[in-house]
Amino acid sequence: MGALMVIFSLQPKQRRKPTDSVEDELELSAVRHRPEGLGQLEAQTRFSRKELQILYRGFKNECPSGIVNEETFKDIYAQFFPQGDASTYAHFLFNAFDTDHNGSVSFEDFVMGLSILLRGTIQEKLKWAFNLYDINKDGYITKEEMLDIMKAIYDMMGKCTYPVLKEETPRQHVEVFFQKMDKNKDGVVTIDEFIDCCQNDENIMRSMHLFENVL
Amino acid sequence: MATGVAAWLPFARAAAIGWMPVASCPMPVAPRDHRRRQDELIILNVSGRRFQTWRTTLDRYPDTLLGSSEKDFFYNEETKEYFFDRDPDAFRSILNFYRTGKLHFPRHECISAYDEELTFFGIIPEIIGDCCYEEYKDRKRENLERLQDDQEENKDVKLPHMNFRQTMWRAFENPHTSTMALVFYYVTGFFIAISVITNVVETVPCGSTPTQKDMPCGERYTVAFFCMDTACVMIFTVEYLLRLFAAPSRYRFMRSVMSIIDVVAILPYYIGLVMTDNEDVSGAFVTLRVFRVFRIFKFSRHSQGLRILGYTLKSCASELGFLLFSLTMAIIIFATVMFYAEKGSSSSKFTSIPASFWYTIVTMTTLGYGDMVPKTIAGKIFGSICSLSGVLVIALPVPVIVSNFSRIYHQNQRADKRRAQKKARMARIHLAKSGSANAFLLSKRNGLLNELLELTGTNTGEQKLPKSACLLESQHHHLLHCLEKTTAHEFVDEQLYEQNYVEAVMQSFPAARRESVSSRDTATPTCCGRRSKRNTTLPIAALQPGVNQQGPLQELSAIHIQCADRPSRSTSRSKLNLKADDVGRLNCKGGRITTAIVSLPSPPALTTPDSDNLRGPPTRRPPLPSPGPSIQTTTSSANVVKVSAL
């Protein structure tokens, strides 16, 4: 009796096998990527050879296959913020880094992004930030997009904060932001409004220079 | 923050620029990185194998040895590398931890060696990656069990201050602790056997009497059997009560399986005693007698195999349950099928489904009594399917149970083997230790003799006593010497120690001591020789009258070298004990004593100081660096040269 049951249960597995193996092979072959040459990267970014070497070593250590997919990206970023949930913000960041929108961040994407953030002009940095906030990349930041971003940032804080986080805090923050940025009160922020407004704000200007010595 | 992704920290910080425009407050100042040095390669030389890595790789984990300034202690200025005198194979996985952030446990490593390496490098084992963690934990548990087994052995040593109750409990649990316990153990075992045998023999037909033929023995010799039963039950009751009294936790004891078996074994007798008069319940009383057979389970206290079997069955409960369940299912199905298949045939034994159960069980377990046989063709077909599947269903869970039993049994065997080996191991270790202690004593004497030689200004050309075998040994001996000096005590060998102890006892009876000494003094050489072992008391004992100004402490530390007429001895002595002979003889002859000093082969002319004496010995001395301590004494004429070790 038991033998019959065992025989019956064996059969479905065999039918499943052929398709599985093909897919497995495809997966294995897809995850390899070699970056462009060091010289090319040096030309395209503002990093020196040595800095690129250091960056690549760190990058390759974490991602031996040479590219980062979104899951890995979220994992890595989440380790820096253990108290809260960094996955949403990491998602937005990933989209900001993944300039060609192919679902993975290669070393070139990584290094280009870093080059802008660390060595770029104020204009470039602000453009990058605008690109981050503009989730659908249509050139306008709407309140909903901003709210999403704000919620993602507040999520990273986690529960244990002082003072205690309330439900409407992100929304209020978005209101403040829009009041500041939206000059013509049309409900969206364009890139020019954004850049102008930021350049007139001293605090923002000062903080833009904050991470220049990171590498 | 997880240091495993330390390489991505610059990225995370750069990405923080995304928060700037929406920030509600000004940002704090970034920490300045003062040490802006370039990333450099570090060379780690581990027992000759060179590993190289970046400094920043190591800096990822600043609370370990390699990541902190602790590694500066291992820095070698000349070769500009960090040298560690550790196992290079184990170091591989440690360095990989820095590189990948995951610590792996190589399967071929010994668990304790690996643990030591981890401790040395300041890495906690809990961060071993998931892939290797289970293996690591399993091995660690095995090791711990092994250590616990050893500790339990040591616990058998009698603890002081155990009250009567605890002693009794220990005696019950471990029959090997005392003779009384062993006796008790065997007595109860004997009575269990007797009880079981009487129960069995009771039912054997005993031969015919005139009144009735073929009576079982139990009814023929009622009184005898009753007496036996009473005796056994009395013993069991006493045993149970004693155990109950001695148990550390009575409630827990009463709930344990063995005690329940005990109770069930003796209860039928008492119930029978109470109920003999009442005829109505005698039927039930007869049934109760069946429970007497449970006495056989009391043997499990005496047999480890039985206990293992019971433990196995308990641990395989799920497999047994599955076996039972599948069997039940199969029985019901086949019984139903057989019943309906055989319904048509006339005079079929398969009167109902429950009646068919018997057939199904007998067939599935391949017993095949043949009292119920299918007659229709369909019945025969299904009957054959039934027997085939029965074999499979039973064969499946049985190997699991067998392997469990085998594993537990081997574990117990290993424990027993370890216990047996432990004694031999301890003996060897003890031998090695005493060997080194003797070596120290020997070198001490040699050293003192050397001092003596130098004191007396002898020509130590060829008479130099052999130095210690190697520098290491001499340094070690020097260390022990320093310890002696520190504590104002000396190392002595066991014999001397025992005698000193005796001597210390005798200190309180000075008069008696004198007598004993004098008596020994007057003993003849032969009797001294016979009492060779005990003669070593003489050195100490006779010291008192010999050189009187010593306190007991100084006795122990002072070494007197006296001269006396002595016959020549053979040169080679391989045992320390034999020196006692010489010493004894020496003492008997000349009434002089030497303590703790070996006797020289021959005492040459005694008028001149040591040089003459010592010239003699070298010729006769066998090669001294021989393994056993060879023993020499110096004699100097008529001078009591006291060389104090203080």
Side-chain angles (χ1 to χ4, degrees):
Chain A
M1 189 59 222
L4 293 173
M5 283 169 47
V6 171
I7 292 170
F8 281 134
S9 63
L10 271 177
Q11 281 189 344
K13 246 196 219 167
Q14 283 172 347
R15 261 183 265 127
R16 252 184 275 135
K17 260 197 183 157
T19 50
D20 273 355
S21 58
V22 172
E23 282 173 17
D24 286 335
E25 283 176 33
L26 281 178
E27 261 185 53
L28 282 173
S29 57
V31 286
R32 290 273 184 277
H33 180 85
R34 205 173 297 140
E36 302 168 11
L38 197 51
Q40 269 182 300
L41 278 179
E42 203 182 339
Q44 287 170 3
T45 66
R46 296 194 191 91
F47 290 119
S48 68
R49 268 186 106 84
K50 268 217 148 33
E51 289 165 339
L52 280 172
Q53 280 179 338
I54 297 175
L55 278 174
Y56 187 66
R57 283 203 298 263
F59 183 84
K60 185 108 177 149
N61 227 4
E62 284 313 309
C63 320
S65 57
I67 57 170
V68 193
N69 59 5
E70 190 163 340
E71 278 311 307
T72 324
F73 193 88
K74 281 186 179 169
D75 279 339
I76 294 174
Y77 201 72
Q79 298 200 35
F80 293 107
F81 305 98
Q83 280 164 325
D85 175 27
S87 50
T88 336
Y89 189 70
H91 168 77
F92 296 133
L93 258 188
F94 186 82
N95 287 337
F97 268 89
D98 186 14
T99 41
D100 47 1
H101 305 290
N102 60 354
S104 61
V105 168
S106 65
F107 183 63
E108 289 94 341
D109 297 335
F110 180 71
V111 125
M112 306 272 208
L114 273 188
S115 164
I116 295 175
L117 285 174
L118 298 177
R119 303 283 158 90
T121 65
I122 297 287
Q123 288 264 3
E124 288 173 343
K125 289 184 191 175
L126 289 173
K127 243 176 78 173
W128 190 89
F130 185 87
N131 195 28
L132 174 67
Y133 301 148
D134 186 10
I135 298 175
N136 54 3
K137 318 288 179 221
D138 61 353
Y140 300 101
I141 304 180
T142 63
K143 273 201 180 161
E144 286 73 26
E145 289 173 341
M146 205 57 223
L147 188 58
D148 286 339
I149 299 270
M150 202 60 74
K151 277 206 195 134
I153 295 180
Y154 275 94
D155 277 343
M156 282 199 289
M157 292 292 299
K159 262 195 342 228
C160 315
T161 56
Y162 177 78
V164 183
L165 270 182
K166 300 201 198 77
E167 273 292 321
E168 61 270 12
T169 320
R171 194 172 291 278
Q172 286 172 349
H173 202 138
V174 170
E175 292 298 327
V176 168
F177 177 80
F178 261 76
Q179 271 188 340
K180 212 168 41 162
M181 298 281 166
D182 192 8
K183 287 295 176 347
N184 54 3
K185 304 293 176 215
D186 55 353
V188 291
V189 176
T190 63
I191 180 134
D192 303 310
E193 286 177 338
F194 184 72
I195 294 182
D196 276 335
C197 192
C198 288
Q199 278 179 328
N200 294 336
D201 188 332
E202 267 194 35
N203 278 339
I204 297 181
M205 281 298 108
R206 205 170 340 154
S207 51
M208 280 296 173
H209 294 287
L210 202 59
F211 293 111
E212 278 182 353
N213 309 324
V214 160
L215 200 59
Chain B
M1 190 204 75
T3 42
V5 288
W8 283 64
L9 183 57
F11 157 74
R13 295 176 75 199
I17 286 186
W19 307 334
M20 302 301 153
V22 295
S24 21
C25 332
M27 289 288 138
V29 181
R32 296 217 56 118
D33 186 11
H34 293 281
R35 307 165 299 139
R36 298 282 302 155
R37 35 157 217 269
Q38 294 289 339
D39 205 2
E40 45 169 337
L41 271 180
I42 295 191
I43 304 177
L44 301 162
N45 185 347
V46 182
S47 301
R49 208 189 298 180
R50 280 184 175 70
F51 297 87
Q52 295 183 337
T53 182
W54 299 107
R55 181 175 288 274
T56 46
T57 312
L58 294 182
D59 287 343
R60 281 189 201 154
Y61 297 95
D63 53 352
T64 58
L65 185 149
L66 289 174
S68 63
S69 59
E70 194 182 345
K71 63 177 184 284
D72 294 339
F73 286 103
F74 299 92
Y75 188 65
N76 188 346
E77 288 294 341
E78 293 119 43
T79 52
K80 297 257 186 293
E81 60 189 19
Y82 294 88
F83 181 74
F84 298 96
D85 203 6
R86 310 290 297 188
D87 183 12
D89 288 328
F91 188 74
R92 262 186 52 234
S93 33
I94 290 175
L95 193 54
N96 279 337
F97 165 64
Y98 286 89
R99 293 177 180 140
T100 62
K102 291 203 274 277
L103 181 62
H104 294 282
F105 172 58
R107 270 159 180 76
H108 60 267
E109 280 285 338
C110 166
I111 182 77
S112 36
Y114 189 71
D115 262 349
E116 266 181 40
E117 295 294 313
L118 285 185
T119 322
F120 180 85
F121 286 103
I123 300 173
I124 46 174
E126 269 64 34
I127 48 180
I128 289 185
D130 284 337
C131 43
C132 301
Y133 193 63
E134 217 176 288
E135 167 91 14
Y136 172 79
K137 271 289 174 220
D138 281 343
R139 296 265 285 268
K140 193 138 189 201
R141 199 172 2 104
E142 262 178 48
N143 208 30
L144 219 60
E145 283 171 2
R146 201 167 297 142
L147 286 176
Q148 269 175 4
D149 271 346
D150 287 345
Q151 275 176 16
E152 272 171 20
E153 276 314 298
N154 293 338
K155 262 198 267 177
D156 272 352
V157 174
K158 198 175 172 93
L159 305 162
H161 313 304
M162 274 198 344
N163 60 16
F164 176 64
R165 188 172 151 189
Q166 283 174 333
T167 333
M168 227 164 68
W169 180 248
R170 236 184 83 235
F172 279 138
E173 294 297 298
N174 262 335
H176 303 284
T177 48
S178 68
T179 336
M180 269 307 296
L182 212 55
V183 164
F184 183 79
Y185 175 78
Y186 282 125
V187 161
T188 44
F190 175 70
F191 271 98
I192 295 174
I194 290 278
S195 161
V196 170
I197 290 174
T198 33
N199 285 349
V200 167
V201 168
E202 250 183 0
T203 58
V204 172
C206 240
S208 46
T209 69
T211 52
Q212 259 180 300
K213 52 174 178 176
D214 274 358
M215 251 170 57
C217 280
E219 290 177 25
R220 194 154 169 204
Y221 303 106
T222 323
V223 178
F225 281 104
F226 182 71
C227 291
M228 273 237 194
D229 209 18
T230 315
C232 294
V233 168
M234 263 181 9
I235 300 271
F236 295 151
T237 319
V238 163
E239 181 204 350
Y240 180 71
L241 289 174
L242 280 179
R243 273 185 207 261
L244 190 63
F245 166 67
S249 157
R250 299 217 170 98
Y251 178 59
R252 208 157 53 100
F253 171 73
M254 288 210 293
R255 281 190 316 173
S256 70
V257 175
M258 288 310 303
S259 97
I260 292 179
I261 291 178
D262 287 339
V263 169
V264 169
I266 59 181
L267 224 41
Y269 176 80
Y270 289 112
I271 297 182
L273 272 186
V274 168
M275 287 198 328
T276 28
D277 307 339
N278 200 339
E279 284 300 320
D280 295 334
V281 295
S282 63
F285 167 62
V286 167
T287 338
L288 268 181
R289 294 182 121 209
V290 166
F291 283 98
R292 291 189 304 172
V293 82
F294 272 78
R295 289 178 195 166
I296 207 170
F297 282 116
K298 285 167 71 74
F299 266 129
S300 59
R301 276 213 186 93
H302 297 249
S303 157
Q304 206 187 21
L306 261 184
R307 274 204 300 272
I308 294 177
L309 187 61
Y311 185 67
T312 311
L313 290 176
K314 203 165 58 150
S315 68
C316 302
S318 63
E319 278 84 27
L320 283 174
F322 168 69
L323 175 63
L324 211 58
F325 177 68
S326 57
L327 266 179
T328 316
M329 255 180 29
I331 288 172
I332 294 179
I333 291 178
F334 278 108
T336 316
V337 167
M338 289 307 293
F339 172 71
Y340 282 113
E342 287 287 304
K343 201 156 181 214
S345 81
S346 57
S347 74
S348 130
K349 292 235 176 79
F350 295 80
T351 49
S352 66
I353 294 187
S356 318
F357 280 169
W358 176 244
Y359 168 76
T360 320
I361 292 177
V362 166
T363 316
M364 282 188 92
T365 53
T366 70
L367 271 178
Y369 286 135
D371 53 350
M372 281 166 84
V373 181
K375 296 207 170 53
T376 61
I377 296 188
K380 287 188 178 156
I381 292 176
F382 286 119
S384 38
I385 297 179
C386 171
S387 61
L388 285 176
S389 65
V391 169
L392 277 173
V393 167
I394 292 179
L396 283 176
V398 166
V400 177
I401 300 173
V402 165
S403 77
N404 260 356
F405 180 79
S406 157
R407 179 176 55 88
I408 298 172
Y409 182 70
H410 283 306
Q411 245 178 23
N412 269 291
Q413 274 206 325
R414 267 208 310 268
D416 288 338
K417 232 193 306 184
R418 261 205 306 278
R419 253 167 282 193
Q421 284 171 352
K422 190 183 164 106
K423 285 199 178 129
R425 244 177 52 217
M426 288 295 152
R428 275 206 308 270
I429 291 173
H430 182 73
L431 198 61
K433 277 198 195 148
S434 58
S436 69
N438 285 341
F440 170 62
L441 293 171
L442 172 64
S443 78
K444 197 169 62 166
R445 285 168 211 139
N446 287 345
L448 286 168
L449 289 174
N450 280 337
E451 281 177 38
L452 174 61
L453 294 181
E454 274 149 44
L455 273 179
T456 54
T458 55
N459 175 14
T460 57
E462 76 269 25
Q463 291 118 10
K464 263 225 175 71
L465 291 172
K467 301 276 196 240
S468 297
C470 60
L471 184 61
L472 199 61
E473 221 181 289
S474 60
Q475 286 172 341
H476 178 227
H477 293 161
H478 175 254
L479 181 67
L480 294 173
H481 208 111
C482 293
L483 184 61
E484 285 185 336
K485 295 276 172 72
T486 315
T487 57
H489 284 68
E490 264 188 13
F491 292 107
V492 292
D493 66 1
E494 280 180 39
Q495 272 189 324
L496 283 177
Y497 168 71
E498 281 166 28
Q499 284 120 28
N500 294 347
Y501 181 69
V502 169
E503 176 54 29
V505 169
M506 286 162 67
Q507 288 279 331
S508 42
F509 305 100
R513 184 181 33 124
R514 291 263 162 115
E515 281 172 15
S516 62
V517 163
S518 50
S519 68
R520 281 194 201 131
D521 270 349
T522 54
T524 63
T526 49
C527 75
C528 275
R530 247 182 280 131
R531 285 183 289 140
S532 60
K533 288 248 165 53
R534 287 175 46 217
N535 278 342
T536 46
T537 51
L538 278 169
I540 310 293
L543 258 181
Q544 262 91 12
V547 188
N548 321 8
Q549 292 89 14
Q550 325 295 325
L553 194 57
Q554 279 178 319
E555 253 179 61
L556 294 179
S557 52
I559 298 173
H560 294 256
I561 304 174
Q562 295 189 335
C563 48
D565 279 331
R566 270 190 302 281
S568 60
R569 314 245 176 280
S570 75
T571 58
S572 66
R573 309 256 156 68
S574 53
K575 282 205 168 116
L576 226 57
N577 297 340
L578 285 179
K579 91 166 151 48
D581 268 326
D582 301 331
V583 176
R585 264 175 241 143
L586 284 170
N587 296 332
C588 295
K589 284 236 161 152
R592 315 281 186 189
I593 316 104
T594 57
T595 66
I597 291 292
V598 297
S599 48
L600 261 185
S602 71
L606 301 170
T607 51
T608 61
D610 302 341
S611 53
D612 294 337
N613 299 338
L614 290 172
R615 238 175 267 130
T619 55
R620 288 181 216 210
R621 213 184 304 134
L624 274 169
S626 58
S630 54
I631 304 162
Q632 308 111 17
T633 348
T634 64
T635 63
S636 56
S637 53
N639 296 331
V640 177
V641 178
K642 186 181 82 188
V643 178
S644 167
L646 277 176

